[in-house]
Amino acid sequence: MARVFAVASAKGGVGKTTTTANLGVILAETGADVVVIDSDIGMANLGAALGIESPPTTLHDVLNGTAKASEATYEGPGGVYVVPGDTALSSYASADPEKLPSVLRTHSQADYVLLDVGAGVSHETSLPLSLADDVLLVSTPERDALRDTEKTRQLTEQLGGTVAGAVVTRTDASTPVSELATGTLAATVLASIPEDEAVRDSLAVGEPLSTYAPNSPAAAAYRELVAELTDID
Ligand code: ADP
Ligand code: MG
């Protein structure tokens, strides 16, 4: 059975998609069978982050009942499998998030499935939390972001889910990472991803950090996150 992680925070723009994409690729590079799914059905951008632009079939086609999950699965960088969403807002209305479990069943033979969760607190952002074995909380160090991310921790617990820990992004040397996360989030810090311009540049060209800037500080920090996660297996 695949181990399913939801990469989540109620706050937008904190690095959930960046974390899903880079974690997925680095795990795949270790030889694992990894599927990343864009469950942010309102603001799909995971495919683009991994160089998959305008795919003919998307998660939205699966969620509206016109395609099979296997038809919306593409091989991406490092051998990671990607289930991208449709970036056109017009597809959103007919996508039924209740069909997400069937996508997970299709990929149950994988070693890892990562769900890139949308921002906000709603049925469609809660569902992935309840489908995951573990939730990875992602937050920048700002107080507002931490408070919104804390709501995702609460929601996970209300749904009977498990928080694996927190990934604090866009940090600098003076960020009191552990203090912030244990204080506001009440979660173990699994990784601190430094502010790094290679992140923005790699997303702009649709390449993961491991090929675009393998020696960048952010790439190294994501490799450490993978080591942490594979340790707690
Ligand atoms: P979310 O999925 O939570 O909305 P994204 O992963 O799309 O967030 O990240 C939002 C933006 O933040 C990205 O476009 C990127 O430019 C920036 N970003 C994320 N992580 C970092 C980082 N470690 N260093 C610099 N910029 C970052
Ligand atoms: Mg995102």
Side-chain angles (χ1 to χ4, degrees):
M1 276 303 273
R3 184 167 176 202
V4 180
F5 284 100
V7 181
S9 168
K11 182 80 173 171
V14 291
K16 296 181 290 293
T17 300
T18 304
T19 298
T20 309
N22 285 291
L23 188 56
V25 170
I26 297 168
L27 277 168
E29 286 169 348
T30 68
D33 184 355
V34 187
V35 183
V36 295
I37 300 175
D38 197 345
S39 61
D40 186 355
I41 58 174
M43 296 285 182
N45 58 1
L46 180 65
L50 291 169
I52 297 167
E53 298 282 353
S54 311
T57 306
T58 66
L59 178 66
H60 288 75
D61 299 310
V62 182
L63 299 182
N64 73 25
T66 59
K68 290 191 278 198
S70 56
E71 295 166 334
T73 305
Y74 301 82
E75 191 169 344
V80 68
Y81 291 96
V82 186
V83 182
D86 190 340
T87 51
L89 187 60
S90 52
S91 306
Y92 172 72
S94 56
D96 176 8
E98 295 301 331
K99 290 199 171 70
L100 196 56
S102 73
V103 181
L104 291 182
R105 279 195 294 278
T106 299
H107 290 298
S108 60
Q109 85 302 335
D111 296 313
Y112 297 96
V113 174
L114 309 182
L115 298 169
D116 182 17
V117 185
V121 174
S122 65
H123 178 60
E124 72 195 47
T125 59
S126 314
L127 186 67
L129 303 179
S130 64
L131 295 174
D133 297 304
D134 287 290
V135 174
L136 282 185
L137 299 173
V138 180
S139 187
T140 56
E142 283 77 38
R143 198 170 57 164
D144 283 358
L146 288 164
R147 281 182 179 163
D148 287 357
T149 308
E150 143 70 0
K151 295 200 176 85
T152 304
R153 186 184 63 73
Q154 283 180 36
L155 194 57
T156 303
E157 284 171 4
Q158 282 167 19
L159 293 163
T162 309
V163 170
V167 179
V168 184
T169 59
R170 311 195 73 165
T171 57
D172 63 34
S174 67
T175 310
V177 176
S178 301
E179 213 175 292
L180 287 172
T182 48
T184 315
L185 291 179
T188 314
V189 179
L190 297 171
S192 163
I193 314 296
E195 174 73 26
D196 187 340
E197 61 189 18
V199 171
R200 188 196 53 220
D201 296 347
S202 65
L203 288 170
V205 296
E207 258 191 66
L209 287 165
S210 58
T211 56
Y212 183 80
N215 300 320
S216 62
Y222 277 118
R223 284 194 293 268
E224 281 173 33
L225 172 61
V226 168
E228 280 289 321
L229 289 176
T230 44
D231 255 16
I232 59 170
D233 254 355

